[in-house]
Amino acid sequence: MSYELVKAHLNLYAVLQNLEELVVHDNQMKDFVKDWNLSIQFYVPGGPKAFIVFKDGKCTVGRGVKRCASILLFFVSPAQLNKMFDGKGNPMLLRGFTKIGFLLKKFPVLTDRLAYYLKPTDELLKDSNYLELNTRFTLATAAFAAREIALHDPIGKLVCGHIRKGAVQLVVKPEGPGAYLQFDENGIDVKKGFAQRPMAVMEMKGMKEANAFLNGKVDGFTAIVKGDVAIKGQTSMLDSLSLVLDRVPEYLS
Amino acid sequence: MKTYSYKKSHALFNRAAKVIPCGIYGHFSPAPLIPVSDYPFYASRGKGSRFRDVDGNEFIDYMCAYGPMVLGYNHPKVEAAAAKYQKAGSCLMGPSPVMVELAEYMVDLISGMDWAFFAKNGGDVTNYAAMIARSATGRKKIVAISGGYHGVAPWMQAPGHHGLIEEDYVNMIRIRWNRFDEFEKAVKENPGQIAGFIASPYHHPTFVDNELPGDGYWQKVQALCNKEGIVLIIDDVRCGFRLDMRGSHVYFGFEPDLVCFCKAIANGHPISALMGKNSLKSEAARVFYTGSYWFQSAPMAAALATLKELRRINGPKIMLERGKKLLDGMVKIAANHGFTLKVSGAPSMPYLRITDDETLMLHQQWCAECTKRGAYFTSHHNWFISTAHTDADIKRTWDIVDEACKVIKKQYM
């Protein structure tokens, strides 16, 4: 799979899903989308496809094609989709011409807000609310990106080719957020929340420690020995997952 | 039983983390020790089978510094031999005669090997072995076992690890242990391209049960290597001198072309050795390979003293027997508490696992409970037995195991 195609998978399946949580945890955005009632389809022929549904103040991001989406955004290639995510290109609007105002003025407010949370600075991280949301989104992005890299990146496939079956849980203590990857004979599934009986667990001590770890400000070995991150269970699964996660910056800077 | 705390270890680590990558790197990183808070990070001294950490806690050591300690820490004969050469000057303008003496001794000791070459670490000699194989055959590819460990040179590491490029592993063919059919297939699919086959005498990866060779496995591998002109390299770095003084290939009944030794060879002094058949001696001479400290005489004297002592007392027999006694007792104690403790690998370097919990969390907790009571166990790696482990150590270990079983039983059952 080409670089652009893997990156398109990450953009649609790992980055976009954060909108669900954004409208839950950011009060300004929660209020902003409360009356939205429409859906947007992202379509890349021969590539990833995803949709967003806004209804009753909720946002749902799904994989695949949603029939009769209000807006259909068509991308001639994965590279074109990636350009849009990088703020350097536009899609072709194939359906929803009456909603062009929404696309040009309203929707970018939401995506800009997500970009704001996904691009931390030391100054922004001094705000505990910002730190919490950045941690939450970074954890989810990492978990969802790990699936795509493990399935599609050439090295990711090699690393995860022989991974043991079972769930790998990532969690910020004491109460979350959490996300887990389930490896089984059918492939890899990723979910937010908590697995019933994980084979391996990585627990981050708190939001601050999780943020430093997830943003690469401290290496995993040191974080573990200092007690900021705890691992247990089939930790060879975490070793593999760690190598996969280390490849995310190759695609998402 | 009193449990240990590690205040000074933790304080030292915090200092280290500021000036050393990872604080403690490589195989000594405490990160795989679970939970890490139950383990010491820094050692201060050792004697016999035991070491003390910087907090003054004493441990019966079942990791033996990950293998080098074989006769006991600070063994008087070994230390006296090393000290004699250290005093005279260990790193001089030319090798010491003890280098010749050690090579002659090892050629006499190790079955089927005609020459010896000395370096420092196991990875030095596994890498040299691969270079010799490539030089001798004019071929590029090396066959190795998935999960097998031969050091940290780029070709030895699995894809995805940092610092590797595709070219580092493009000539590596990884097959599963004990799968002769996969070796046959690799040979068939890469005609005239395979320079060497490298493996440990038996499969001792981390995190999973260790596996001995199946009936006839090594003999079939040797026969195919001989037929196809593939250099058969045995990485005896971990097993060496814990199964058979003549080399672990004798223990399993086959004859390699090159054998790599390190760890137990000098009871903790820094030296490794590559040994080979006469047919590869000229090729070994052609491959330029050296290091600043590879000619130090003190580690060579230590190696000579260690090997002589191990041979005199039949060290491998002692370690296999004491290991079996220790492990049989532990399995019974665990069973008395309702736990199934599975032992795999050789009794002198066993891998243990409580099988009642496939996640390993129960096993990790048990190892930690034992460690903080004074029996140093790891949950991810095979252990090592030394000739210095006494019956008193074994009895004390059984008491610790018993109490640790009680503790985890309360938590898990």
Side-chain angles (χ1 to χ4, degrees):
Chain A
M1 193 177 274
S2 73
Y3 173 85
E4 292 292 350
L5 191 49
V6 178
K7 184 172 175 176
H9 272 80
L10 263 63
N11 276 324
L12 277 192
Y13 298 150
V15 176
L16 207 60
Q17 53 79 30
N18 286 308
L19 291 175
E20 291 181 349
E21 300 283 315
L22 179 67
V23 303
V24 172
H25 297 286
D26 181 302
N27 287 333
Q28 199 182 333
M29 291 301 104
K30 190 177 185 176
D31 193 51
F32 188 58
V33 305
K34 69 181 179 191
D35 298 323
W36 292 10
N37 188 6
L38 50 78
S39 54
I40 307 170
Q41 175 74 53
F42 295 79
Y43 192 95
V44 184
K49 296 159 188 72
F51 58 86
I52 310 171
V53 177
F54 294 100
K55 192 176 180 186
D56 302 330
K58 285 185 180 174
C59 170
T60 309
V61 180
R63 288 167 178 261
V65 176
K66 178 174 174 55
R67 301 189 84 183
C68 305
S70 320
I71 297 166
L72 173 56
L73 302 178
F74 183 87
F75 302 86
V76 293
S77 67
Q80 191 194 12
L81 177 114
N82 295 332
K83 276 185 183 170
M84 186 197 75
F85 272 82
D86 291 340
K88 295 172 185 168
N90 293 307
M92 294 162 67
L93 180 62
L94 292 191
R95 188 188 305 141
F97 294 99
T98 59
K99 298 192 170 49
I100 200 155
F102 167 84
L103 276 178
L104 290 175
K105 291 183 179 172
K106 286 190 170 180
F107 189 58
V109 173
L110 192 65
T111 54
D112 287 351
R113 190 69 172 167
L114 179 60
Y116 161 77
Y117 282 119
L118 286 175
K119 293 177 180 172
T121 63
D122 289 343
E123 196 58 34
L124 285 170
L125 288 169
K126 287 177 184 169
D127 176 350
S128 60
N129 287 331
Y130 180 91
L131 183 137
E132 180 183 336
L133 285 186
N134 172 254
T135 307
R136 190 175 285 279
F137 296 145
T138 306
L139 176 72
T141 304
F144 281 79
R147 178 191 183 271
E148 301 311 313
I149 294 206
L151 287 174
H152 305 300
D153 171 76
I155 292 175
K157 284 198 279 188
L158 282 173
V159 170
C160 286
H162 302 291
I163 200 164
R164 177 183 286 273
K165 305 286 181 284
V168 179
Q169 178 75 57
L170 309 175
V171 61
V172 182
K173 287 175 83 174
E175 293 172 338
Y180 63 95
L181 287 106
Q182 179 79 41
F183 296 86
D184 61 34
E185 53 281 345
N186 299 317
I188 307 168
D189 197 9
V190 57
K191 286 192 167 72
K192 293 169 193 168
F194 302 94
Q196 277 207 326
R197 188 169 160 72
M199 290 293 281
V201 178
M202 176 183 282
E203 292 174 339
M204 288 155 266
K205 192 177 176 183
M207 284 292 177
K208 195 176 167 189
E209 293 81 4
N211 193 276
F213 175 64
L214 292 167
N215 282 317
K217 290 183 176 169
V218 58
D219 72 90
F221 291 101
T222 305
I224 289 168
V225 182
K226 282 188 153 189
D228 292 341
V229 173
I231 56 171
K232 61 183 176 181
Q234 293 282 359
T235 53
S236 62
M237 296 175 82
L238 291 167
D239 289 344
S240 299
L241 187 60
S242 170
L243 291 174
V244 165
L245 288 174
D246 287 344
R247 295 198 57 71
V248 174
E250 295 271 319
Y251 298 97
L252 302 176
S253 54
Chain B
M1 243 176 236
K2 182 192 160 208
T3 56
Y4 295 163
S5 58
Y6 308 107
K7 200 175 165 187
K8 287 182 183 170
S9 264
H10 286 256
L12 261 180
F13 186 85
N14 286 336
R15 280 172 56 196
K18 291 176 186 162
V19 291
I20 301 171
C22 291
I24 303 171
Y25 45 81
H27 65 296
F28 267 18
S29 167
L33 308 172
I34 298 168
V36 74
S37 55
D38 284 347
Y39 284 84
F41 304 157
Y42 294 91
S44 61
R45 60 186 187 273
K47 181 73 184 165
S49 62
R50 302 184 181 213
F51 76 94
R52 280 188 185 272
D53 69 3
V54 289
D55 288 279
N57 303 308
E58 187 182 67
F59 300 86
I60 304 169
D61 188 2
Y62 288 103
M63 289 308 292
C64 296
Y66 280 84
M69 189 276 271
V70 67
L71 287 169
Y73 290 116
N74 265 314
H75 189 275
K77 287 184 181 174
V78 177
E79 295 314 308
K84 182 182 161 192
Y85 282 83
Q86 193 66 47
K87 195 175 175 188
S90 182
C91 189
L92 301 173
M93 190 46 247
S96 159
V98 75
M99 183 179 185
V100 183
E101 201 183 336
L102 177 61
E104 286 173 344
Y105 189 82
M106 290 190 73
V107 166
D108 175 62
L109 177 68
I110 305 302
S111 175
M113 297 296 115
D114 301 307
W115 52 267
F117 177 102
F118 302 109
K120 283 289 160 206
N121 288 296
D124 294 338
V125 289
T126 50
N127 190 52
Y128 184 40
M131 289 174 77
I132 293 170
R134 284 172 167 154
S135 180
T137 59
R139 303 170 184 173
K140 292 182 180 177
K141 295 183 189 292
I142 301 286
V143 176
I145 305 297
S146 289
Y149 180 85
H150 304 294
V152 292
W155 67 264
M156 302 168 191
Q157 298 200 40
H161 284 86
H162 291 270
L164 268 62
I165 55 174
E166 191 180 357
E167 287 78 0
D168 289 325
Y169 51 84
V170 74
N171 286 309
M172 292 301 297
I173 301 170
R174 294 272 178 180
I175 61 172
R176 284 175 290 178
W177 169 252
N178 259 341
R179 292 295 300 266
F180 178 69
D181 60 319
E182 292 190 8
F183 184 38
E184 275 186 311
K185 184 168 175 267
V187 171
K188 195 173 176 184
E189 289 176 353
N190 299 274
Q193 296 177 67
I194 298 174
F197 176 98
I198 185 166
S200 48
Y202 75 84
H203 195 42
H204 41 60
T206 49
F207 297 107
V208 294
D209 296 341
N210 291 185
E211 291 179 69
L212 298 177
D215 283 347
Y217 174 73
W218 273 123
Q219 292 69 29
K220 283 188 278 188
V221 168
Q222 183 190 337
L224 187 56
C225 284
N226 292 346
K227 181 179 166 219
E228 298 291 335
I230 296 166
V231 177
L232 178 52
I233 305 162
I234 288 306
D235 178 345
D236 213 0
V237 168
R238 211 184 294 183
C239 296
F241 314 112
R242 278 190 161 88
L243 298 178
D244 194 301
M245 284 307 294
R246 298 164 294 173
S248 302
H249 53 285
V250 176
Y251 190 81
F252 292 117
F254 68 103
E255 198 166 292
D257 300 305
L258 296 170
V259 185
C260 310
F261 293 107
C262 187
K263 291 198 184 285
I265 191 172
N267 202 44
H269 288 266
I271 184 167
S272 59
L274 178 69
M275 300 192 68
K277 289 186 169 187
N278 253 334
S279 56
L280 289 168
K281 189 155 163 274
S282 296
E283 213 56 54
R286 287 189 189 103
V287 176
F288 182 70
Y289 208 60
T290 190
S292 294
Y293 297 100
W294 290 8
F295 296 89
Q296 279 182 308
S297 59
M300 291 175 181
L304 193 57
T306 301
L307 295 175
K308 282 181 177 176
E309 184 64 5
L310 280 171
R311 193 183 206 178
R312 185 184 71 78
I313 62 175
N314 197 352
K317 183 170 181 284
I318 292 171
M319 288 182 271
L320 287 163
E321 287 175 357
R322 289 205 187 141
K324 186 172 184 315
K325 180 178 177 180
L326 169 78
L327 299 164
D328 286 350
M330 287 172 60
V331 169
K332 276 183 197 161
I333 292 165
N336 288 343
H337 291 280
F339 296 118
T340 306
L341 184 61
K342 184 178 180 184
V343 178
S344 58
S348 51
M349 39 181 285
Y351 177 79
L352 280 83
R353 181 170 66 91
I354 294 178
T355 61
D356 305 285
D357 168 27
E358 63 173 348
T359 71
L360 291 184
M361 291 180 202
L362 175 67
H363 179 60
Q364 286 158 352
Q365 189 64 39
W366 175 76
C367 287
E369 294 294 342
C370 290
T371 298
K372 65 184 183 187
R373 286 170 175 78
Y376 192 98
F377 293 169
T378 65
S379 58
H380 66 294
H381 195 284
N382 73 269
W383 303 354
F384 296 91
I385 309 295
S386 77
T387 62
H389 284 92
T390 62
D391 283 346
D393 289 331
I394 292 173
K395 171 70 176 63
R396 173 69 183 156
T397 304
W398 286 340
D399 290 344
I400 290 169
V401 165
D402 188 53
E403 182 161 305
C405 283
K406 284 178 192 160
V407 172
I408 61 167
K409 195 172 179 179
K410 272 187 192 164
Q411 290 178 9
Y412 280 85
M413 294 173 84

